[in-house]
Amino acid sequence: QQQVKQSPQSLIVQKGGISIINCAYENTAFDYFPWYQQFPGKGPALLIAIRPDVSEKKEGRFTISFNKSAKQFSLHIMDSQPGDSATYFCALKEAGTASKLTFGTGTRLQVTL
Amino acid sequence: DSGVTQTPKHLITATGQRVTLRCSPRSGDLSVYWYQQSLDQGLQFLIQYYNGEERAKGNILERFSAQQFPDLHSELNLSSLELGDSALYFCASSAEGYGYTFGSGTRLTVV
């Protein structure tokens, strides 16, 4: 059962452009929505995260937009740079004692010059 | 360096064999999580331990098992290996269950 759907699978953006990655989730109550960035051969690294009581969070060029009623959240990368080329994963944590994260299938971003 | 140490980095073994992957969590983190990442696949949750006890279980095969020791390091044991078990295996740790920190992974190749 896939609890989170991530799109697009891959994305090519020109340098300076805006990269947008979307995730949609299903019914279970979640209380934490992080985004992870993974470079080839490395482990995923936490990029930015949001909780459901906030509709938007910005950290530098990275912004999470959260729509609780639509059960959707997205990552926006402003002024995309070649160094942003990586795979991005959204994730969800269910409210409750279990703290495991469920990850989306990933988006491979390529930023071209 | 994320603070989560995984060994070995690479492992090549034959079908039918058994291997052990090791993870040392970040100092102070009580939770350890194991994930499997196959080629072009997402991160599949295998199992979580919290302070030595199993906390949650995902789609972990019966041929796989894990444990967390008193010093909080964890081991993932994979037995009767099949070609399809070839993947990257990641360990992550967390304090309160929110911010995961991942290790660099163990790349397992079954030949």
Side-chain angles (χ1 to χ4, degrees):
Chain A
Q1 180 184 2
Q2 186 181 5
Q3 294 199 69
V4 56
K5 295 182 181 180
Q6 183 172 344
S7 62
Q9 189 174 6
S10 62
L11 183 60
I12 300 175
V13 173
Q14 279 196 326
K15 180 182 174 182
I18 302 173
S19 304
I20 302 174
I21 304 170
N22 301 297
C23 279
Y25 60 97
E26 297 174 354
N27 299 324
T28 309
F30 299 103
D31 65 355
Y32 178 64
F33 302 83
W35 284 89
Y36 281 79
Q37 179 188 56
Q38 184 180 26
F39 293 103
K42 302 291 186 183
L46 179 63
L47 188 63
I48 186 171
I50 198 168
R51 303 206 186 202
D53 54 345
V54 177
S55 61
E56 186 175 281
K57 182 175 181 181
K58 184 176 180 180
E59 290 185 359
R61 297 183 294 108
F62 301 92
T63 300
I64 297 179
S65 296
F66 182 75
N67 186 331
K68 189 174 182 178
S69 61
K71 295 187 179 70
Q72 295 176 348
F73 60 111
S74 60
L75 175 69
H76 291 64
I77 306 174
M78 312 300 288
D79 187 26
S80 299
Q81 298 297 312
D84 297 330
S85 297
T87 300
Y88 293 81
F89 293 94
C90 63
L92 315 159
K93 187 188 85 66
E94 290 185 38
T97 57
S99 55
K100 71 177 180 73
L101 292 176
T102 299
F103 286 84
T105 50
T107 296
R108 185 171 295 179
L109 171 66
Q110 182 183 353
V111 181
T112 61
L113 294 171
Chain B
D1 182 10
S2 68
V4 177
T5 303
Q6 287 189 250
T7 57
K9 291 191 182 303
H10 302 277
L11 199 49
I12 302 175
T13 190
T15 54
Q17 295 298 304
R18 172 188 169 96
V19 296
T20 297
L21 312 184
R22 182 187 169 103
C23 169
S24 294
R26 200 176 52 166
S27 178
D29 287 354
L30 298 180
S31 277
V32 170
Y33 311 80
W34 287 97
Y35 282 81
Q36 180 192 57
Q37 186 176 41
S38 301
L39 189 64
D40 293 331
Q41 294 293 310
L43 292 148
Q44 301 298 315
F45 171 70
L46 296 177
I47 198 164
Q48 177 200 358
Y49 278 84
Y50 177 83
N51 202 21
E53 296 197 2
E54 182 182 304
R55 174 67 67 88
K57 213 166 186 176
N59 295 325
I60 187 168
L61 299 172
E62 286 190 10
R63 301 183 285 108
F64 297 0
S65 64
Q67 54 184 325
Q68 186 179 29
F69 294 86
D71 67 352
L72 300 178
H73 91 271
S74 178
E75 293 181 356
L76 179 67
N77 301 295
L78 315 176
S79 61
S80 302
L81 284 167
E82 302 173 359
L83 295 178
D85 298 327
S86 296
L88 268 169
Y89 290 84
F90 286 105
C91 165
S93 72
S94 73
E96 313 122 357
Y98 286 96
Y100 271 28
T101 301
F102 279 87
S104 297
T106 294
R107 182 175 294 280
L108 173 66
T109 303
V110 183
V111 297

